[in-house]
Amino acid sequence: MKAAMTTVPVPLSAGRDYTIHIGSGLLAEAGATLTAVARSSRAIIITQPPIAKHWAKPLQESLCAAGFVDPDVILFPAGERYKTLATMASLCDKLYNLPRTIDRKTLVVALGGGVVGDVAGFVAASYLRGLDYVQVPTTLLAMVDSSIGGKTGVDFRAGKNLVGAFHQPRAVLADVDTLRTLPPREFRSGLGEVVKYGVIRDPALLDAKPVRAGDITAAPETVIEIIRRSCVVKADVVCADEREETGLRAILNYGHTIGHALESATHYRRFKHGEAIGIGMVSAACIGEVLGVTPTAVREKVQAAVQTQQLPGCIPNDIEPDTLLALLGRDKKAEDGVARFVLAHAVGDVELMGQIRKESVLAGLALQQSLCTSARIEEIS
Ligand SMILES: NC(=O)c1ccc[n+]([C@@H]2O[C@H](COP(=O)([O-])OP(=O)(O)OC[C@H]3O[C@@H](n4cnc5c(N)ncnc54)[C@H](O)[C@@H]3O)[C@@H](O)[C@H]2O)c1
Ligand SMILES: [Zn+2]
């Protein structure tokens, strides 16, 4: 039987357009798909041990079957703490020391989640002043978000993604079968971004039924469809504002202002990214409500969607609103220390608003907490 599969175009200009392939069984066909975009028969797979264990061999075999010659696999350790310049240097060393030298036509294949995609993409952007690369995302977050749009980079000092480059992939191959080995909490975390796309652009994603890790096997077409719809939104926004210059791309940060502050306050250890974004989206909805921007019914929809996808929607009691507020000023996207928030006028209609006063943020967070107490929304961790 032919595997279920769909595509989403990313129509960037000047020959940099590419296709996102989404489906089941795509890894087995990866070689054939990638021959169409590769400029040589040399490919290097960059990945991490937990992913390589399950998926490097099938990918290698598929590449070999399509005529790629001995595709090497290069590993680096899993975890955000390895998203560093030191890892970058060690990967460059490994490329340099390969028995067969590589040239500018060599294709880098980033097989993994957002960390692999960002690091391998940055290696591809820099080594020999730029190699072609493709993204083969293996987390839900990477499939719907980080593999699309060309942002690559590493963390530096206290700054997340502080050093990096824009470098668009030649293709994205999202094989939902790879999600079967992803820890369920990582899968759920990816749903945070899916809900976000619902709020900013696609109401169907906000109204989606609960999506569970078991659906990857039981109902792959459901998972493929939410990934497809999410990719359509991300691709559309990226194409309209590729380098974050017009302000449109900023709408992808819905829920991320408080979300990032929560991650930072808890040293990136307590929450998965999508969990922090779940809480942050409810915060943004509540701040919008107290400012008279977000109607109550919209705030309720956001809150319900977060709950439906089993993401946390409440700020834990031990994290003080003042602590979060102090961290907002350090957001590299904040303008002159004044908090900026993406707020929703309606589902599918959001706006980046600056000059949000401290009192309004605190009032919004207080509303969120009062709702949490009354609705008894539990924190999921
Ligand atoms: N470039 C962008 O536009 C963009 C957008 C959003 C997020 N990001 C970045 O993405 C990163 C987070 O990505 P993530 O949530 O995918 O986390 P991740 O890449 O750290 O992956 C999570 C964990 O799951 C493991 N894993 C991945 N796929 C697996 C699979 N199929 N089976 C078994 N284990 C698997 C990984 O090895 C890792 O341990 C952050 O660094 C963030 O800054 C980038
Ligand atoms: Zn995010």
Side-chain angles (χ1 to χ4, degrees):
M1 197 182 77
K2 184 97 179 87
M5 127 98 175
T6 185
T7 58
V8 175
V10 186
L12 288 163
S13 57
R16 291 172 307 110
D17 56 312
Y18 54 96
T19 302
I20 306 166
H21 305 257
I22 310 153
S24 165
L26 292 194
L27 230 48
E29 293 168 19
T33 315
L34 297 185
T35 338
V37 297
R39 290 192 291 155
S40 97
S41 57
R42 185 101 166 94
I44 315 282
I45 300 166
I46 299 183
T47 188
Q48 296 164 330
I51 304 155
K53 190 165 83 180
H54 304 285
W55 306 109
K57 196 149 178 267
L59 179 58
Q60 256 180 322
E61 285 172 357
S62 161
L63 290 174
C64 288
F68 286 92
V69 183
D70 296 334
D72 294 285
V73 177
I74 294 184
L75 299 172
F76 70 96
E80 182 76 27
R81 68 184 178 286
Y82 293 103
K83 195 173 144 180
T84 58
L85 283 174
T87 296
M88 185 64 193
S90 110
L91 289 172
C92 289
D93 262 336
K94 287 179 180 172
L95 288 178
Y96 183 80
N97 289 322
L98 284 173
R100 287 189 303 124
T101 54
I102 64 173
D103 62 29
R104 285 214 181 117
K105 291 186 176 160
T106 299
L107 185 70
V108 170
V109 182
L111 172 69
V115 170
V116 169
D118 283 10
V119 173
F122 192 32
V123 168
S126 322
Y127 199 79
L128 296 180
R129 296 201 183 85
L131 306 171
D132 286 349
Y133 80 117
V134 292
Q135 293 270 14
V136 184
T138 62
T139 65
L140 182 58
L141 180 130
M143 290 183 186
V144 300
D145 192 351
S146 59
S147 65
I148 313 152
K151 278 192 182 178
T152 73
V154 294
D155 302 333
F156 185 70
R157 309 280 184 229
K160 216 168 134 36
N161 304 319
L162 201 59
V163 178
F166 282 100
H167 187 46
Q168 298 291 346
R170 300 293 306 145
V172 179
L173 250 72
D175 185 339
V176 294
D177 296 344
T178 62
L179 298 175
R180 283 193 276 111
T181 57
L182 186 68
R185 190 175 166 199
E186 294 287 354
F187 180 80
R188 206 171 52 218
S189 168
L191 291 170
E193 304 291 354
V194 173
V195 171
K196 174 191 83 179
Y197 294 124
V199 181
I200 67 174
R201 195 57 79 75
D202 183 351
L205 286 172
L206 201 62
D207 295 333
K209 293 202 183 77
V211 186
R212 302 288 177 256
D215 292 339
I216 302 154
T217 312
E221 51 311 324
T222 313
V223 180
I224 291 169
E225 179 59 6
I226 63 147
I227 295 171
R228 187 191 68 79
R229 295 192 86 104
S230 299
C231 289
V232 167
V233 180
K234 173 98 193 219
D236 201 39
V237 173
V238 163
C239 288
D241 182 18
E242 186 184 351
R243 286 176 171 253
E244 232 165 31
E245 284 158 349
T246 69
L248 181 64
R249 195 161 171 164
I251 69 170
L252 295 170
N253 278 332
Y254 186 79
H256 283 56
T257 310
I258 293 293
H260 282 153
L262 277 165
E263 287 182 294
S264 173
T266 54
H267 309 285
Y268 297 89
R269 291 208 190 102
R270 181 150 162 196
F271 301 108
K272 296 282 168 205
H273 178 67
E275 293 168 350
I277 298 319
I279 300 172
M281 287 189 288
V282 178
S283 307
C286 290
I287 293 164
E289 185 172 353
V290 300
L291 285 168
V293 174
T294 305
T296 305
V298 173
R299 185 264 297 159
E300 285 170 349
K301 273 200 132 187
V302 174
Q303 208 178 357
V306 165
Q307 213 176 352
T308 300
Q309 302 307 348
Q310 292 193 330
L311 291 161
C314 299
I315 299 171
N317 287 333
D318 59 315
I319 301 175
E320 293 296 329
D322 280 332
T323 309
L324 298 178
L325 221 73
L327 289 163
L328 295 187
R330 290 201 219 148
D331 186 337
K332 72 175 184 296
K333 286 171 185 143
E335 263 172 354
D336 304 328
V338 178
R340 298 194 302 171
F341 277 85
V342 180
L343 299 176
H345 296 288
V347 174
D349 177 13
V350 298
E351 186 187 352
L352 175 65
M353 301 180 95
Q355 311 286 337
I356 307 285
R357 289 168 51 229
K358 180 180 169 182
E359 295 72 31
S360 309
V361 177
L362 286 174
L365 297 182
L367 170 62
Q368 181 175 14
Q369 283 320 83
S370 72
L371 294 167
C372 284
T373 318
S374 56
R376 291 187 179 281
I377 301 168
E378 300 297 331
E379 180 196 348
I380 299 165
S381 58

